[in-house]
Each structure stands twice: as C-alpha cells, then as structure tokens.
C-alpha cells in the first residue's frame, strides 16, 4: 500500500468539526479509489457504491435526496450495509457515470450523521450535468499521481529523511555528496517510472524496469479510451490529435504547441476548447506565455500561446518513439527532445504544489524563461537546465527588472547574485522552501 499525501488530508478532513461532504477528482488510475478504501478502514462501517459496476444504485435518488430516503433505498439493495451514525463513510465511486449524486451533498451536510465522499475520473467536466450543484455544502480535493516525495516514501524513505534533506535546502547548504548521489539515482528511477501508482508498485516490487513500459503504454491507451467515452460537444478526433502530439510538439526548439502542426489546414479556432477539456480531465497541464512580467500573472497570460505537458511524465515516456526511448534508456540521453523531458518533470512538480504554469518569451526571443511563479509579492523566474551551465535569460532578467530567480539543474544547492540553484530532485520542495524562509520577504 503506497503512502500518499491524500491520506493525511483525509484524516484531517475527518477530524475537522462539521466537515462537509468531499469530492475527490482527478484523472483515472492516480489512486483515488485505493486511498479512499484504505481511509474507510478508520470507520466502523464503510459503504462503497460504484455507479459503473452497480448501475442499479442510480435509482436510490428516485424518491428525492432526503437522507433517510437514500439510506432506505441503499439498504433495500444491500441489507448487509450498516449505517452507524457518526461512524459510517458512504463512498460514491465513478460518480462521473451519475454526477447527479452530488445533489445529495446538501442534505447529507445538513443532516450530519454520515460522512460522504464522491470520487470519479473526469469529474470536473461533468458539473454541467448536475441538476443542483451543492455550492457551500462541499469540499474538494484534486488527486494527482505520485510526486517525487511520495516516490521516496515508496522506496522506504521517511518524513525524517525528507526533513533532513530540506534542512540543507533551507540553509542553502550543499547536500553531502552521498545524499546528492543517492537522490540523483532515485530521481533517475523516477524519470523512467513516473508517478502512476500501478507503475510505481510494479517497479518497487520487481526492482526492474522490465515491465513498467508496457504498463505505461496501456495507461496511455486507457486515457485515449476515456476521450472516446466522455468527450461531449467537441470533435473527439481533434481532442485525440492534441493528446497524441504532446511529446512531438515539445520536441520543437521553442516547445510551443502549434495547432497548425497537427495536420494539413488545422487552425486554432477549429480546436478551440479541446486543450481545455484535456486539462480539466487531469490528463495534461498547460503553461501560458505571459505578455508582460507583472502581477497578477493571470492578467497577462496569452491564451493562444501555450505549451502542453502531460500531467504525469510517464505518459511522455510512453509516447516517445522507439528511437528516442532507446536513446534515453540505453544511452542515458536525458536531453532528448531539446530538454523537454526535464521541463515536463518540473511542470508536474509545480502543479502538484499548487502553482499555475506560466512561462515568458519576449517579442524578439532574446529572453526565454521556462517557468514563472509568484513568491509573496515577487515574480520569480525558473530556468530548467539539463546540465550545469549559463542561464543567459535568467541572468539578463535579474540584471534588468526582477530581483530573484531559480535555476534547476544537476548541480548541488547554492545561492549567488540572488539566484537560487537547486538540483532537479528538490523541485518538489520549492513551495515549502519559500514559505518557510525569509530570503524573499513580503513588501
């Protein structure tokens, strides 16, 4: 059983007084059901209802959404279910197959006798189907694949280990070489494995890469099947076309996603909304170019100039052509696709920390910054380098307009000329670093 960050969120949710019903959304196969089932063991009674495998339970709301009526209908279908007041978790799974179940959140919240969790893949894009969205009577959590910290946990590392690593980062001290080398090796494994739980479990169990690539391929195909099954109001072929071309579009020098490259005569207006559908489904992440470096960042994003990354980089690996994959695996060429692999990894870690994705490229292309984040009241650019080397764009922007910058590379921790240098494998700690240090202050 993999330890996940959602485990701690769920326990806090349960222990919070007057907590509301919870929606856990996310892409398929990121571990939602497994984590909720494990959490269900903390209750005296756990009731799981799957609207795909048990479609008859869609009728439990036929007589309305009164709690007593719902409980009665559930017990008629399965008299073995026990409803213990204040010690029962009702779990509605695959709720995308019957999103109207969320209408029950308000009566359950007002009743207060039973805890309720709804979960499902692609849930966020099905809200339009709900007859009465329970605004103010729900909590939400987006679950994603394993980040590098969770991957460390899967490999036997503890909170204490991570805290020890963070203590060096917090003081801007280089990691001991034994730490650096071991974490670099683990991060290499993470690059190949990715964060999908089934793949991670297989890797941990077998301690080999032999079978994980076929699992990644299958998961990649499963997502494509989801597109076929759930896309509404959009051209399915166009959504699939974007999904299939993420890796190849990142292979270009500027990594910009160009609709015109998807096929002869393809135009942006014809694909309008397709990339947003994939983003809302939790399948891709989108980074928007900023028109200018000013706050708030969202006010300056260019909606027609963006980069697309897979939400889990294992999909990037799965979608590589055989020549590129062999170059990566056999020759350890991590610079494939013009360094897009590391960009993809960092985009994923930023999203999992709650950042939105932005990059900056000025009009004459003399400055290009891989990512832009807000830290307190400062705009902080991030440049991602495969190897230690010059950061021309970052240096130029720090000399002219911005105060601080971050360089993510294969070098150890350092700080010089207001530029923080961290190894790639510490990117999962960036938000914690800026929150718990005062190198950048509120002004």
């Amino acid at each position: 059983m993999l330890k996940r960050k959602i485990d701690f969120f769920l326990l806090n949710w349960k222990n919070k007084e007057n907590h509301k019903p919870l929606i856990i959304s996310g892409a398929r196969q990121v571990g939602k059901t497994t984590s909720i089932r494990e959490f269900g063991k903390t209750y005296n009674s756990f009731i799981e209802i799957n609207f795909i495998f048990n479609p008859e339970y869609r009728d439990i709301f036929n007589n309305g959404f009164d709690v007593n009526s719902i409980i009665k209908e559930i017990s008629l279908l399965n008299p073995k279910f026990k409803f213990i007041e204040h010690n029962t978790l009702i779990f509605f799974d695959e709720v995308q197959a019957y999103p109207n179940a969320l209408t029950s959140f308000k009566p359950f919240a007002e009743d207060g006798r039973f805890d309720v969790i709804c979960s499902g893949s692609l849930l966020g894009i099905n809200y339009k189907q709900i007859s009465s969205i329970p605004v103010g009577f729900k909590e939400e959590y987006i679950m994603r694949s394993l980040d590098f910290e969770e991957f460390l946990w899967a490999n036997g590392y503890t909170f204490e280990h991570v805290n020890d690593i963070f203590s060096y980062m917090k003081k801007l001290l280089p990691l001991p070489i034994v730490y650096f080398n071991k974490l670099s090796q683990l991060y290499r494994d993470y690059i190949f494995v990715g964060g999908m739980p089934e793949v991670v479990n297989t890797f941990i169990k077998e301690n080999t890469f032999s079978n994980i690539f076929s699992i990644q391929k299958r998961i990649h195909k499963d997502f494509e099947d989801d597109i076929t099954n759930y896309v509404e109001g959009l051209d399915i072929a166009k959504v699939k076309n974007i999904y299939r071309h993420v890796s190849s579009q990142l292979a270009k020098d500027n990594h910009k996603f160009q609709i015109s490259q998807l096929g002869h005569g393809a135009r942006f207006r014809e694909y309008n909304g397709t990339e947003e559908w994939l983003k809302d489904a939790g399948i891709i992440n989108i980074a928007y170019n900023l028109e200018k470096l000013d706050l708030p960042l969202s006010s300056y994003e260019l909606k027609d100039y963006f980069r697309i990354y897979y939400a889990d980089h294992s999909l990037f690996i799965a979608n590589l052509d055989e020549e590129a994959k062999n170059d990566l695996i056999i020759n350890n060429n991590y610079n494939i696709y013009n360094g897009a692999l590391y960009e993809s990894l960092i985009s994923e870690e930023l999203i999992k920390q709650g950042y939105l994705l932005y990059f900056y490229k000025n009009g004459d292309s003399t400055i290009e910054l891989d990512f832009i984040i807000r830290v307190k009241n400062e705009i902080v650019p991030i440049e991602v380098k495969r190897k230690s080397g010059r950061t021309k764009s970052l240096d130029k922007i720090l000399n002219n307009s911005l105060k601080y910058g971050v360089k993510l590379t294969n070098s150890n921790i350092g700080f010089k000329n207001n530029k923080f240098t961290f190894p790639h494998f510490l990117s999962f700690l960036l938000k914690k670093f800026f929150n718990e240090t005062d190198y950048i202050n509120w002004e």
Side-chain angles (χ1 to χ4, degrees):
M1 178 66 194
L2 294 172
K3 181 163 58 179
R4 304 296 305 276
K5 292 184 177 179
I6 194 176
D7 302 340
F8 310 102
F9 173 87
L10 289 171
L11 286 173
N12 289 333
W13 171 78
K14 179 183 180 182
N15 293 328
K16 185 167 56 178
E17 191 174 355
N18 299 321
H19 55 268
K20 298 176 177 65
L22 176 64
I23 300 172
I24 297 177
S25 59
R28 63 146 59 217
Q29 302 188 52
V30 295
K32 300 183 298 295
T33 298
T34 300
S35 292
I36 296 167
R37 284 175 178 166
E38 187 67 19
F39 173 61
K41 295 176 182 178
T42 66
Y43 290 80
N44 286 347
S45 179
F46 175 61
I47 295 168
E48 179 178 344
I49 294 172
N50 187 302
F51 288 116
I52 289 182
F53 297 146
N54 308 111
E56 66 273 15
Y57 280 94
R58 301 176 192 181
D59 295 332
I60 63 176
F61 307 106
N62 285 350
N63 294 322
F65 293 92
D66 173 73
V67 172
N68 288 329
S69 175
I70 295 170
I71 298 305
K72 179 181 177 182
E73 295 298 323
I74 293 175
S75 62
L76 284 172
L77 288 170
N78 190 337
K80 293 182 180 179
F81 283 149
K82 296 180 180 180
F83 295 89
I84 304 170
E85 293 187 8
H86 306 295
N87 217 324
T88 296
L89 175 62
I90 301 172
F91 173 32
F92 295 127
D93 199 10
E94 302 290 6
V95 76
Q96 77 277 358
Y98 191 73
N100 230 34
L102 273 72
T103 306
S104 67
F105 272 23
K106 180 177 180 179
F108 270 114
E110 293 177 332
D111 183 273
R113 288 177 293 162
F114 308 102
D115 286 353
V116 178
I117 293 178
C118 282
S119 181
S121 300
L122 313 178
L123 182 59
I125 57 177
N126 282 288
Y127 278 149
K128 62 181 182 293
Q129 301 176 20
I130 304 171
S131 60
S132 177
I133 299 176
V135 178
F137 294 93
K138 61 181 171 66
E139 297 182 45
E140 298 184 61
Y141 184 95
I142 299 176
M143 189 173 183
R144 306 184 191 276
S145 60
L146 281 79
D147 67 7
F148 185 56
E149 182 173 14
E150 291 171 308
F151 186 76
L152 290 176
W153 295 346
N155 280 274
Y157 291 84
T158 64
F159 298 110
E160 288 72 24
H161 288 117
V162 174
N163 287 335
D164 190 26
I165 294 165
F166 180 66
S167 68
Y168 289 89
M169 186 179 185
K170 192 172 183 178
K171 297 174 184 176
L172 293 176
L173 295 174
L175 288 166
I177 193 64
V178 64
Y179 280 30
F180 185 89
N181 289 341
K182 183 59 181 178
L183 288 167
S184 295
Q185 177 60 48
L186 287 165
Y187 197 66
R188 174 188 176 274
D189 292 345
Y190 182 62
I191 289 173
F192 288 126
V193 175
M196 301 303 283
E198 182 182 358
V199 184
V200 174
N201 269 320
T202 300
F203 175 73
I204 296 300
K205 180 180 179 181
E206 299 178 357
N207 196 29
T208 175
F209 298 106
S210 299
N211 295 316
I212 67 168
F213 297 120
S214 60
I215 300 174
Q216 290 172 343
K217 275 283 189 185
R218 175 176 55 74
I219 293 174
H220 189 278
K221 179 62 168 58
D222 288 343
F223 278 123
E224 189 166 305
D225 292 341
D226 268 355
I227 293 170
T228 301
N229 293 330
Y230 292 109
V231 166
E232 294 180 2
L234 294 170
D235 188 319
I236 293 174
K238 287 184 171 64
V239 179
K240 285 185 176 181
N241 209 14
I242 286 184
Y243 174 67
R244 291 168 178 166
H245 284 85
V246 173
S247 296
S248 60
Q249 291 266 359
L250 286 174
K252 298 178 302 183
D253 286 339
N254 64 4
H255 301 167
K256 177 185 177 183
F257 199 94
Q258 294 178 291
I259 298 297
S260 61
Q261 300 298 312
L262 296 180
H264 180 70
R267 291 175 174 83
F268 182 81
R269 65 176 180 273
E270 297 170 350
Y271 279 77
N272 188 37
T274 53
E275 79 284 356
E276 288 292 337
W277 189 94
L278 288 165
K279 177 185 175 184
D280 290 343
I283 296 173
I284 65 170
N285 297 322
I286 302 177
Y288 292 102
N289 190 24
L290 294 173
E291 187 176 13
K292 62 184 290 191
L293 294 172
D294 207 348
L295 297 175
L297 297 175
S298 59
S299 296
Y300 301 100
E301 62 183 43
L302 297 171
K303 283 294 188 181
D304 59 348
Y305 194 143
F306 53 84
R307 294 171 177 171
I308 293 179
Y309 305 93
Y310 285 116
D312 187 88
H313 63 276
S314 65
L315 299 175
F316 181 99
I317 300 295
N319 202 39
L320 290 177
D321 58 69
E322 289 306 312
E323 182 179 347
K325 187 179 291 187
N326 288 335
D327 193 22
L328 173 64
I329 298 168
I330 297 172
N331 300 322
N332 291 326
N333 181 12
Y334 297 99
N335 202 41
I336 58 168
Y337 284 11
N338 298 301
L341 174 59
Y342 277 88
E343 246 184 66
S344 183
L345 284 157
I346 301 306
S347 72
E348 188 181 332
E349 290 292 0
L350 291 175
I351 284 285
K352 289 173 179 177
Q353 291 172 79
Y355 290 110
L356 298 176
L357 295 182
Y358 298 106
F359 66 99
Y360 178 72
K361 186 173 185 179
N362 63 359
D364 58 6
S365 300
T366 56
I367 296 179
E368 185 171 351
L369 303 164
D370 297 321
F371 298 103
I372 304 292
I373 61 173
R374 177 176 181 165
V375 177
K376 298 163 185 174
N377 286 330
E378 297 288 344
I379 295 172
V380 178
I382 298 174
E383 199 157 349
V384 182
K385 291 291 185 182
R386 162 68 188 105
K387 296 181 179 179
S388 182
R390 293 186 62 190
T391 52
K392 295 179 182 179
S393 291
L394 187 57
D395 294 341
K396 186 179 292 186
I397 205 75
L398 293 183
N399 287 331
N400 290 318
S401 55
L402 302 183
K403 295 181 180 178
Y404 302 93
V406 174
K407 175 184 176 181
L408 298 175
T409 182
N410 65 345
S411 297
N412 214 323
I413 298 169
F415 182 67
K416 186 177 181 181
N417 298 327
N418 281 9
K419 182 168 61 181
F420 302 93
T421 298
F422 299 119
H424 303 108
F425 56 71
L426 290 184
S427 58
F428 75 93
L429 288 169
L430 275 177
K431 194 160 197 174
K432 181 180 174 69
F433 171 78
F434 286 121
N435 284 343
E436 297 187 16
T437 63
D438 58 1
Y439 297 108
I440 298 179
N441 294 306
W442 287 100
E443 292 184 359

